[in-house]
């Protein structure tokens, strides 16, 4: 069995009496970057939250190395799977160093002492996210891009082999979006970390992901390499949008150009 393999089987999930995911199946490629895309309210975040055990399934299951994720001890899971939720909130006045250090909590038992290994993990996470100079700053004083890098640093300090991120580029300008996605790509290539993220921007998803998952109506519409998934037919079906698909001259990946009623030549 492949280590740190994450599988979703016949998943049924939602909130209260509302079912959003109904009989969903998904295999996450280990050691790759997977991006989940789809229109608003299609179930992207619900899927990610259930995979991260923030939401209990109504039916079906999420399997990590063959074991049902919702039955694993919390500390065991936290040593394998890290999560960056949508719009996380830091305690008021907490410094960058203190927030990032919280990523080490899953590695400590009730009476475990802080070790040099913890210090090294925190220093490496700060260095990887280029936030070392911010260590003594209060998180709530930082810009949006800086805060997002700090939250990612906390997830890196956790030293998990799986990292789930819910819209990590939301509310960031384009330069910071690219910066965050470059950072996650470095993490994947250097550490072999499996990355699963919900993204809104189709073109960034196609450029950075090895595996693309397109969702519609609480179900998987298409999965595969971006070359296979990002098609005009998929965009029309999933987003109700006419488009033209071209080759990105920078990455060689597919790139979507939306076709609206205005702004066309002629």
């Amino acid at each position: 069995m492949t280590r740190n393999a994450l599988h979703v089987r016949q998943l049924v999930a939602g909130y209260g009496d509302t079912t959003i995911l109904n009989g969903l199946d998904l295999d996450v490629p280990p050691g790759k970057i997977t991006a989940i895309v789809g229109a608003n309210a299609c179930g992207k975040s619900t899927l990610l939250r259930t995979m991260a055990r923030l939401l209990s399934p109504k039916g079906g299951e999420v399997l990590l190395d063959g074991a049902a994720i919702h039955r694993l001890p919390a500390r065991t899971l936290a040593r394998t799977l890290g999560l960056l939720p949508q719009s996380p909130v830091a305690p008021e006045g907490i410094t960058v160093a203190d927030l990032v250090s919280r990523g080490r909590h899953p590695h400590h038992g009730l009476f475990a002492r802080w070790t040099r290994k913890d210090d090294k993990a925190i220093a490496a996470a700060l260095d990887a996210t280029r936030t070392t100079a911010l260590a003594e700053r209060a998180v709530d004083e930082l810009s949006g891009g800086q805060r997002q890098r700090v939250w990612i640093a906390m997830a890196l300090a956790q030293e998990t082999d799986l990292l789930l991120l819910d819209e990590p580029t939301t509310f960031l300008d384009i330069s910071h979006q690219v910066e965050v996605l470059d950072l996650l790509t470095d993490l994947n290539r250097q550490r072999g970390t499996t990355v699963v993220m919900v993204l809104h921007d189709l073109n960034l998803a196609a450029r950075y992901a090895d595996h693309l998952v397109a969702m519609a109506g609480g179900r998987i519409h298409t999965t595969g390499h971006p070359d296979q998934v990002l098609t005009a037919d998929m965009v029309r079906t999933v987003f109700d949008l006419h488009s033209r698909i071209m080759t990105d001259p920078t990455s060689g990946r597919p790139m979507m150009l939306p076709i609206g009623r205005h702004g066309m030549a002629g």
Side-chain angles (χ1 to χ4, degrees):
M1 180 182 295
T2 303
R3 185 169 174 266
N4 299 317
L6 193 60
H7 304 283
V8 177
R9 293 290 177 263
Q10 289 298 296
L11 185 65
V12 180
Y15 304 90
D17 295 330
T18 303
T19 297
I20 297 175
L21 309 177
N22 197 353
L24 186 147
D25 290 300
L26 178 66
D27 296 317
V28 174
K32 303 293 184 180
I33 297 177
T34 295
I36 304 172
V37 299
N40 289 340
C42 72
K44 302 185 299 295
S45 291
T46 301
L47 173 59
L48 198 81
R49 286 172 59 83
T50 310
M51 290 167 65
R53 211 168 78 169
L54 294 181
L55 186 65
S56 296
K58 297 181 177 183
E61 56 189 356
V62 179
L63 301 173
L64 177 60
D65 293 339
I69 204 168
H70 288 81
R71 298 193 186 100
L72 292 174
R75 191 175 295 275
T76 299
L77 180 63
R79 289 173 178 169
T80 303
L81 187 150
L83 171 69
L84 179 61
Q86 190 178 143
S87 303
V89 178
E92 186 176 355
I94 192 171
T95 67
V96 168
D98 285 342
L99 182 66
V100 175
S101 71
R102 295 190 175 197
R104 301 302 300 165
H105 288 181
H107 299 277
H108 289 193
L110 187 60
F111 301 106
R113 298 178 61 184
W114 197 264
T115 67
R116 182 173 296 179
K117 183 178 180 181
D118 295 313
D119 290 330
K120 289 179 66 176
I122 292 168
L126 291 169
D127 181 63
T129 54
R130 294 189 288 113
T131 53
T132 303
L134 305 174
E136 302 307 316
R137 295 269 304 275
V139 174
D140 49 19
E141 295 177 355
L142 304 179
S143 69
Q146 290 172 326
R147 280 197 301 271
Q148 197 71 324
R149 282 190 283 136
V150 168
W151 282 108
I152 293 174
M154 187 185 76
L156 297 190
Q158 197 172 330
E159 291 188 320
T160 62
D161 294 318
L162 283 161
L163 184 58
L164 276 55
L165 305 101
D166 193 357
E167 300 184 16
T169 59
T170 299
F171 306 125
L172 300 182
D173 60 40
I174 187 62
S175 65
H176 287 120
Q177 291 179 44
V178 170
E179 183 178 1
V180 165
L181 294 172
D182 279 343
L183 170 61
L184 294 172
T185 301
D186 290 340
L187 175 66
N188 168 259
R189 291 178 179 175
Q190 295 168 10
R191 298 189 187 181
T193 304
T194 300
V195 176
V196 183
M197 55 185 172
V198 170
L199 288 180
H200 273 295
D201 190 307
L202 267 178
N203 290 331
L204 287 177
R207 175 180 286 195
Y208 283 94
D210 304 299
H211 189 74
L212 208 57
V213 178
M215 291 186 63
R219 296 181 180 273
I220 303 296
H221 177 272
T222 323
T223 67
H225 189 273
D227 288 339
Q228 302 169 304
V229 175
L230 186 49
T231 65
D233 185 53
M234 183 278 284
V235 175
R236 183 170 55 254
T237 303
V238 172
F239 294 93
D240 191 24
L241 176 69
H242 291 285
S243 66
R244 181 181 177 188
I245 307 300
M246 302 179 66
T247 299
D248 183 335
T250 301
S251 66
R253 297 289 186 89
M255 179 174 66
M256 188 275 293
L257 299 178
I259 300 174
R261 293 186 298 108
H262 302 286
M264 294 180 286

